[in-house]
Amino acid sequence: MSTCHKEVKEVGTMAKAIGNKNASFLKLVVERALSMEEKKKQQEALVPYLPKDCISNILVRLPIDSLQRSRLVCKAWYTIINSPIFIDAHLRRSESVLIFLSSIKRGSLYSSPMALIPPEKPNTISVEVKSLQSECVPVFGLPNLSPFLKSYIQCLEINDGKSKIGEYNISCLGNIRATCNGLILLDDKLKKGGLIVMNPVTRKLIALPLGTLFPAHVESYGMALSSATGEYKVIHLFQDELGFIGCETLIVGTRLWSWVNGPSFGLVSWFGCEPVSAIGAMHWVPHIDHSDYVVSMDVDEEKFHTTPLPKSCRTHDGIIEMGGFLSFVTHEEVNQIDIWILKGLGEAWTKQHSITMGCIMDMFPFFSLRMKGDVIFKREEDGSFYAYDFQLQVMTRIEMENGRFPLSCSFLPHVNSLVSWSSREGSQDLCN
């Protein structure tokens, strides 16, 4: 006999002790509880029990926006989605995108003064305001940020020769300096030389301590995951007035930068291209043209290496991460692009592919899709994107849904994930 049935049977006995009026009320409450129990049993009969592993296997296939909503369905799903094992599994299945900043446009010069203020997108948060709030800065102490100085953080999703812009509803004042596994490194414009690490999907962020200050054109930032410790590192390379290169690293979540012996004098003279993280190291193309080698820093050992390239790197050649390896993409001839693969520091390059269809000399290699494997190129002439499908051996111009490519000076490879900079964060609230 269920608990509710026992309580109904005992109502008669309780009625004698407390009076008929109270007894009627008690009987009504117990009958209501009994009715709810019967409905629960009916629901359980209609919805079969699914093992936890089965639910996890279904949830991991959902797109990131659906996954964010699914964690609010029930406590069991919330626990599954927030677990480090699930977050890592979802990351491994997530496709690459390009993250970029889109400036907030002004109104027409002939509009009213109020029309010059661009309307804020619904549910938009400011990186700077959120960072100050996380440091317990009182509301009256928050700065008055001009809407004309802000940019929106957006992403460009590419699929089957078409692309669309994804929204995070996040505004910021600074530039995106580096990305890694869903985390982005942003300038903190409210603090000179300040930096912020953020996951734009979960909106979690952390302000980093100040490091060595240098102008942007003589410094380079990278972010990588240490395979030895499972910690995320920010790597800062900079050049002083005499041409010497310095380097410092920071484990995200700690408060002190560590000094690293930088590459020898003259090895690096240019910071025009973003570094590439692959094969456990961060890699730089060291010169603006005719680079004969790449400079690499082992993320775990924090030691610099030089690796000769199979041929001199020219203006429209470049390095990208491809299938977990370092790839060198070079224009061999007018109608041919060769792709070389390096599987480990100290190993030799291997020619993996030769593209002979649809090649254009001003195509610069941008990144490789994590799941499908297509290499994405960007043309210097008009800023358009092209994708090369290795299975079909076809080069396709990527179509934009509105017919226009977004205007941005910087696109960085990114992946939308639930990753945090610390495994301990996996059990905490992902939507602040």
Side-chain angles (χ1 to χ4, degrees), residues 80-142:
I80 291 173
I81 295 171
N82 283 8
S83 68
I85 295 176
F86 180 90
I87 291 173
D88 183 65
H90 180 267
L91 173 65
R92 294 175 184 276
R93 297 181 62 90
S94 299
E95 186 57 278
S96 306
V97 299
L98 285 173
I99 197 165
F100 65 98
L101 297 179
S102 174
S103 298
I104 297 176
K105 297 180 180 179
R106 295 174 181 263
S108 169
L109 293 176
Y110 301 99
S111 302
S112 65
M114 290 300 295
L116 290 175
I117 301 176
E120 187 82 347
K121 295 182 179 180
N123 303 319
T124 296
I125 67 166
S126 164
V127 170
E128 289 75 21
V129 171
K130 185 174 176 61
S131 177
L132 291 176
Q133 290 174 340
S134 68
E135 297 177 6
C136 300
V137 176
V139 175
F140 58 83
L142 296 177

Side-chain angles (χ1 to χ4, degrees), residues 64-66 68-69 97-104 119-125 151-157 164-171 199-203 400-402 406 414 416:
I64 194 70
D65 54 345
S66 299
Q68 285 284 77
R69 294 191 296 268
V97 299
L98 285 173
I99 197 165
F100 65 98
L101 297 179
S102 174
S103 298
I104 297 176
E120 187 82 347
K121 295 182 179 180
N123 303 319
T124 296
I125 67 166
S151 297
Y152 288 122
I153 301 178
Q154 299 178 309
C155 66
L156 188 69
E157 303 171 5
K164 66 177 182 178
I165 295 178
E167 300 284 353
Y168 298 107
N169 292 335
I170 299 174
S171 67
N199 184 323
V201 171
T202 66
R203 297 184 171 186
M400 284 296 298
E401 56 183 351
N402 59 358
H414 180 66
N416 290 321

Side-chain angles (χ1 to χ4, degrees), residues 156 161-165 382-385 397-407:
L156 188 69
K162 298 181 180 180
S163 64
K164 66 177 182 178
I165 295 178
D382 58 3
S384 59
F385 291 94
R397 190 178 192 271
I398 297 171
E399 300 178 8
M400 284 296 298
E401 56 183 351
N402 59 358
R404 296 178 59 187
F405 288 93
L407 298 176

Side-chain angles (χ1 to χ4, degrees), residues 75 126 165 180 212 304 331 348 386 427:
K75 186 176 181 180
S126 164
I165 295 178
C180 182
T212 305
F304 282 88
H331 294 72
Y386 287 75
S427 60

Side-chain angles (χ1 to χ4, degrees), residues 63 175 212 222 250 290 356 370 376 379 412 432:
N175 294 320
T212 305
L250 176 77
H290 297 291
T356 58
R370 288 163 52 99
I376 308 300
R379 284 202 62 189
L412 291 177
N432 295 321

